[in-house]
Amino acid sequence: MLSAQERAHVTQVWDLIAGHEAHVGAELLLRLFTVYPSTKIYFRHLGTCPDEAQLQSHGQRMLAAVGVAVQRMDDLRAALSPLADLHAQVLRVDPANFPLLIQCFQVVLASHLQDEFTVEVQAAWDKFLTGVAVVLTEKYR
Amino acid sequence: MVHFTAADKAAITSMWRKVNVEEAGGETLGRLLVVYPWTQRFFDNFGNLSSASAIMGNPKVKAHGKRVLTSLGEALRNIDDLKGAFSQLSELHCERLHVDPENFRLLGNMLVIILAKHFGKEFTPQMQASWQKMVAGVASALAHKYH
């Protein structure tokens, strides 16, 4: 699904994120909760007003999973199968929420990378993250 | 109906003053056409849209992007009555242009990303929230007269 060039854009940006999963993840979640407060219903275990430590802890987990997806772009279904099960059986996040998370992810990337966030990089990440979301919701029914 | 707080309005107008509408317009529309290629369906007469660089450099894309953002900027002056401000444009997009309102949401999200790219750290989560509210209001206003 992703061309060789698109994969390169994904891995190059990931190389900048790797090692900073907690901070990037925390910002991602903060944006998600600030911009789209209804998404907080899926994170009740973080409390009504999650602090930085909680955001980093959970953000780190989410970004680590994105890292797995980056490593195994050719094999997403197998790589994300346990997470797909989790989302289908336990979390049951309404699929309409994934585009909201992706929007926040793109905003995080854009605000940090700025001029390096070229249209090609943006397109590759949009395609990649959308593919991840599809896999995560594929077992819903 | 969207309700903008005083803080939302202050954040939006202060940031908008620093935006180069011509550049941002071309960037926003160009990226929409690249990232979501199916949106090109409305621009068959725009000439060369065959590659990302062709699209981003296309003078018609730039001109139209500028027009769209200029219109958005004008609407900011009527932020409490977006439906009124966009009433005629809504009719136009429905009756003449036949644009799926989903495109207004996509374009709005694209503008938010462009602002984030341009303003970096200054584009805080609170700033993003105000702007997402703004673009959602605009999209809704543009869809309002559809029938």
Side-chain angles (χ1 to χ4, degrees):
Chain A
M1 200 179 77
L2 288 170
S3 71
Q5 186 63 269
E6 286 164 341
R7 282 159 203 256
H9 287 309
V10 171
T11 52
Q12 277 156 26
V13 168
W14 183 256
D15 285 344
L16 301 171
I17 295 174
H20 306 281
E21 288 90 339
H23 280 108
V24 176
E27 185 185 335
L28 172 65
L29 285 175
L30 181 61
R31 285 185 185 275
L32 185 68
F33 297 157
T34 306
V35 180
Y36 307 109
S38 60
T39 58
K40 289 194 282 186
I41 68 120
Y42 295 109
F43 299 89
R44 301 248 320 272
H45 60 291
L46 297 181
T48 38
C49 230
D51 63 26
E52 185 62 24
Q54 288 166 303
L55 291 176
Q56 283 195 24
S57 163
H58 200 83
Q60 208 274 332
R61 299 237 302 260
M62 286 173 69
L63 270 273
V66 173
V68 167
V70 172
Q71 299 318 319
R72 295 180 63 186
M73 272 186 274
D74 289 326
D75 196 21
L76 271 189
R77 271 187 192 88
L80 299 177
S81 182
L83 264 183
D85 289 336
L86 184 73
H87 280 76
Q89 292 154 25
V90 180
L91 303 178
R92 292 174 289 182
V93 174
D94 191 294
N97 290 282
F98 288 89
L100 306 182
L101 183 65
I102 292 170
Q103 172 69 4
C104 291
F105 206 114
Q106 294 286 57
V107 167
V108 169
L109 292 181
S111 66
H112 286 269
L113 298 176
Q114 294 197 267
D115 285 342
E116 282 170 49
F117 194 65
T118 62
V119 59
E120 289 88 356
V121 165
Q122 181 181 349
W125 271 86
D126 197 287
K127 216 169 153 181
F128 167 65
L129 291 173
T130 302
V132 169
V134 163
V135 168
L136 288 180
T137 56
E138 227 165 21
K139 301 188 195 185
Y140 273 30
R141 54 179 169 174
Chain B
M1 206 193 108
V2 194
H3 171 73
F4 296 99
T5 63
D8 285 327
K9 294 181 199 182
I12 290 164
T13 50
S14 74
M15 184 161 271
W16 191 250
R17 255 180 242 123
K18 298 184 262 183
V19 170
N20 179 322
V21 168
E22 180 163 5
E23 264 176 36
E27 187 79 25
T28 303
L29 184 62
R31 286 192 182 226
L32 182 80
L33 299 177
V34 172
V35 177
Y36 309 113
W38 56 92
T39 59
Q40 293 169 28
R41 72 189 300 288
F42 303 106
F43 302 102
D44 280 336
N45 62 336
F46 268 32
N48 187 4
L49 300 178
S50 60
S51 68
S53 52
I55 292 170
M56 301 309 292
N58 184 307
K60 285 190 173 181
V61 170
K62 290 184 185 188
H64 194 73
K66 178 183 175 186
R67 205 151 150 221
V68 169
L69 276 207
T70 301
S71 168
L72 194 131
E74 278 161 17
L76 286 181
R77 288 191 250 120
N78 293 296
I79 199 168
D80 287 318
D81 181 25
L82 290 174
K83 285 184 167 67
F86 281 105
S87 177
Q88 286 184 306
L89 275 174
S90 180
E91 281 170 13
L92 177 79
H93 281 77
C94 170
E95 288 161 19
R96 276 227 286 129
L97 304 176
H98 311 296
V99 176
D100 181 343
E102 179 59 22
N103 290 280
F104 309 143
R105 290 178 264 282
L106 288 179
L107 187 75
N109 277 343
M110 194 57 75
L111 175 61
V112 166
I113 290 169
I114 293 303
L115 292 175
K117 173 178 175 280
H118 188 82
F119 290 102
K121 280 192 175 68
E122 202 185 325
F123 200 69
T124 61
Q126 286 71 27
M127 195 56 100
Q128 182 187 350
S130 297
W131 274 97
Q132 296 276 185
K133 226 174 165 179
M134 170 66 193
V135 299
V138 170
S140 170
L142 275 170
H144 193 242
K145 286 291 181 74
Y146 273 60
H147 58 93

